[in-house]
Amino acid sequence: MSIAFSRKLNDYIKLAKPRVISLLDIAALAGFVLGLGKSVNIFSWIHLLPVLIGGSLAAGGGMIINGGLEIEKDKLMKRNSWRPTVKGEVSKGEAYTVGIVAAIIGTVVGLLDNLLTSFFIAFGFLVYVLVYSIWLKPRTWWNIVIGGLAGSAAAWAGYAASSGVFNFESLLLGLLVFMWTPGHFWSLALRFKDDYVKAEIPMLPVLVDERTSAKAIAVSNILMIPFALSLTLYLGVIYGILVSILSMILLYYNFRLIKNPNKDEAWRSFKFSSPYLAIILIIAIILRLV
Ligand code: HEM
Ligand SMILES: CC(C)=CCC/C(C)=C/CC/C(C)=C/COP(=O)(O)OP(=O)(O)O
């Protein structure tokens, strides 16, 4: 592989945010396992690869497009100044082309499972690019609340891949991701408030003071917890106990943040948000499979 090609590929991988994709894939895997139902055999797992590959391509494609959309704003943000788009290594047009091609391939790969899986992959991509990145992000602090649906789509795609359906259990799993997203992102946006002020992006922490942001993070997480606990209906009391313990740790970080609404506390709340969701999803996967 030529050096230029591998460098370009590396640029796209960085823009696609692999760490984000890894948790989206865990959400899809949790959906897949919950959708397996009782009769699991070796052939049930065949449908896992298309939704993971397709969902990752579409999510990554969306984030590459987002990088192309926000070059000017990213130039004003210290956190994003390293990006290949900001440094001129990937142009706007290139980011759009690669992102759209990746999303189309991802949606088509989803068809290898079924139409519903492909629909949710396309839905997640379109909500993130059109609804969140283009329409809401520059206009309203509701951007992240509604944009969170994109993450729900990963769980719904996973559930559809193994079951072929969208039912109440699938809805609850997606609502967990949806309700988790604001607390996850607002803690990051509070940590990097200066960046979002400079880029004039109306994130909630830009529009209100630090303590109010901290309270919004805690309230959104308190509202999220019943949705996390709701899957106890399907996964049993051990799941409920473990989620309750994890939720108390999350709220501990959030109440620390309310007490001291500073950058370090905001970062702690943010850095625990992803493991919180990842551990809950992994507990759900294990408890369904044992
Ligand atoms: C529209 C909704 C969302 C927004 C706006 C958002 C925003 C962000 C941002 C800006 C970052 C920092 C990325 C970076 O600079 O590298 C981040 C990190 C991350 N996001 Fe989100 N996020 C959203 C939803 C999600 C969802 C649904 C998931 C997975 C289910 C997720 C998982 C992650 C992970 C794993 C990280 C890396 C965390 C770390 O570095 O410790 N995000 N998010
Ligand atoms: C099924 C499917 C394809 C789902 C897609 C889900 C998806 C792409 C979620 C994106 C989450 C995320 C980290 C957004 C970054 O926000 P941002 O772009 O505002 O962050 P920035 O400040 O780093 O640009």
Side-chain angles (χ1 to χ4, degrees):
M1 199 184 322
S2 77
I3 296 175
F5 179 77
S6 59
R7 189 175 295 133
K8 190 63 89 171
L9 185 63
N10 192 35
D11 284 344
Y12 291 133
I13 291 170
K14 281 191 278 187
L15 284 171
K17 297 190 185 127
R19 277 179 305 173
V20 176
I21 293 177
S22 62
L23 187 49
L24 288 166
D25 284 345
I26 294 174
L29 177 61
F32 185 89
V33 169
L34 292 188
L36 276 175
K38 300 286 174 260
S39 59
V40 183
N41 57 54
I42 185 72
F43 297 104
S44 319
W45 294 96
I46 287 172
H47 296 291
L48 179 59
L49 261 185
V51 67
L52 289 188
I53 294 170
S56 301
L57 281 170
M63 288 184 267
I64 292 169
I65 292 171
N66 178 283
L69 281 167
E70 299 182 347
I71 294 180
E72 297 318 312
K73 295 217 178 266
D74 283 344
K75 279 178 184 164
L76 304 170
M77 299 175 76
K78 222 173 351 181
R79 178 174 66 84
N80 297 346
S81 55
W82 59 270
R83 287 187 176 162
T85 40
V86 174
K87 295 196 297 190
E89 287 150 6
V90 173
S91 70
K92 208 181 262 282
E94 218 183 303
Y96 293 159
T97 308
V98 170
I100 289 169
V101 168
I104 291 170
I105 295 171
T107 304
V108 170
V109 167
L111 283 172
L112 295 175
D113 278 334
N114 55 55
L115 196 57
L116 189 60
T117 304
S118 180
F119 165 78
F120 279 129
I121 289 173
F123 176 78
F125 167 78
L126 293 171
V127 165
Y128 172 64
V129 173
L130 299 181
V131 177
Y132 170 71
S133 298
I134 295 174
W135 178 30
L136 296 177
K137 183 172 177 181
R139 287 178 176 77
T140 166
W141 64 268
W142 284 93
N143 48 25
I144 178 63
V145 178
I146 296 156
L149 260 183
S152 307
W156 290 336
Y159 198 99
S162 59
S163 69
V165 301
F166 174 71
N167 59 23
F168 189 60
E169 183 179 28
S170 179
L171 174 68
L172 287 179
L173 184 67
L175 287 178
L176 161 57
V177 178
F178 177 76
M179 295 299 290
W180 165 87
T181 299
H184 155 77
F185 178 68
W186 284 339
S187 42
L188 179 87
L190 181 55
R191 166 65 185 80
F192 292 102
K193 176 173 179 168
D194 307 342
D195 270 350
Y196 286 102
V197 169
K198 262 187 248 150
E200 295 178 344
I201 299 174
M203 297 304 182
L204 184 68
V206 168
L207 306 175
V208 299
D209 64 68
E210 282 73 1
R211 180 154 279 118
T212 307
S213 299
K215 286 176 185 165
I217 291 164
V219 166
S220 72
N221 281 334
I222 289 168
L223 293 174
M224 174 267 299
I225 290 167
F227 290 88
L229 287 170
S230 69
L231 286 168
T232 306
L233 288 172
Y234 296 92
L235 292 163
V237 71
I238 295 175
Y239 169 87
I241 293 168
L242 293 174
V243 167
S244 303
I245 295 168
L246 277 166
S247 301
M248 282 188 278
I249 300 170
L250 182 71
L251 292 182
Y252 163 72
Y253 282 117
N254 293 170
F255 290 133
R256 274 181 58 145
L257 177 57
I258 291 174
K259 208 156 146 253
N260 289 303
N262 59 39
K263 288 185 169 30
D264 289 345
E265 291 301 340
W267 186 243
R268 282 192 191 92
S269 267
F270 170 70
K271 289 302 275 188
F272 183 70
S273 68
S274 300
Y276 171 83
L277 181 62
I279 296 168
I280 288 180
L281 294 171
I282 292 165
I283 290 168
I285 291 165
I286 294 168
L287 289 176
R288 174 53 57 88
L289 291 178
V290 295

